[in-house]
């Protein structure tokens, strides 16, 4: 059964770090362009970081130099290393395909439950 399972979120003080994981089941992961997204309360979901099947990465300006996306095609898992966390990083984080890198007409896989990241002193 196709499924995305995010984990690794938590509560951190500003300046702290977290490593998120996204396990992908039932999809062809190694040829997929993947991304991490986040949605804060009252805001639209936004793309945080993407990684192509070839390993090329891209980041939202707000996280450049602080977050690092990576993938393990053997484990069918994508990761997001988050350093120097700020209160405005607080959101639910999700992973899915990176449709900005996919052909027109491509659609997301079914969304997982996400993982909550809260940055507060």
């Amino acid at each position: 059964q196709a499924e995305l399972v995010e984990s690794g979120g938590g509560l951190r003080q500003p300046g702290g770090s977290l490593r998120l994981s996204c396990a992908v089941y039932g999809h062809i992961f190694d040829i997929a362009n993947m991304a991490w997204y986040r949605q804060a309360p009252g805001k639209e979901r936004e793309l945080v970081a993407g990684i192509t099947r070839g390993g090329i990465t891209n980041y939202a300006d707000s996280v450049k130099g602080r977050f690092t996306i990576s993938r393990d095609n053997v484990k069918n898992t994508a990761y997001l290393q988050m350093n120097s966390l700020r209160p405005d990083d607080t959101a639910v984080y999700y992973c899915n395909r990176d449709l900005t890198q996919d052909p027109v007409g491509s659609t997301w896989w079914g969304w997982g439950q996400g993982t909550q990241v809260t940055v507060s002193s």
Side-chain angles (χ1 to χ4, degrees):
Q1 183 174 347
E3 189 176 12
L4 303 173
V5 180
E6 300 93 348
S7 61
L11 172 64
R12 290 292 184 273
Q13 293 186 340
S17 297
L18 280 171
R19 188 191 193 211
L20 307 184
S21 298
C22 167
V24 179
Y25 301 97
H27 296 294
I28 305 174
F29 178 81
D30 58 351
I31 62 171
N33 299 311
M34 294 297 298
W36 282 94
Y37 302 83
R38 69 185 179 188
Q39 187 165 20
K43 295 187 176 181
E44 293 188 354
R45 183 174 52 216
E46 62 173 343
L47 188 149
V48 174
I51 184 166
T52 68
R53 53 180 172 263
I56 298 172
T57 59
N58 65 282
Y59 298 93
D61 287 344
S62 59
V63 306
K64 279 181 183 176
R66 301 188 299 122
F67 291 8
T68 303
I69 188 171
S70 60
R71 65 190 294 160
D72 185 331
N73 288 344
V74 174
K75 296 182 178 179
N76 282 10
T77 301
Y79 303 96
L80 186 68
Q81 178 66 44
M82 309 166 65
N83 298 328
S84 302
L85 285 165
R86 308 185 313 210
D88 61 358
D89 294 319
T90 296
V92 179
Y93 285 70
Y94 303 88
C95 67
N96 212 309
R97 299 174 66 182
D98 184 354
L99 296 188
T100 68
Q101 302 294 328
D102 284 345
V104 173
S106 297
T107 58
W108 279 304
W109 296 329
W111 292 91
Q113 82 288 351
T115 186
Q116 176 71 48
V117 172
T118 302
V119 184
S120 175
S121 54

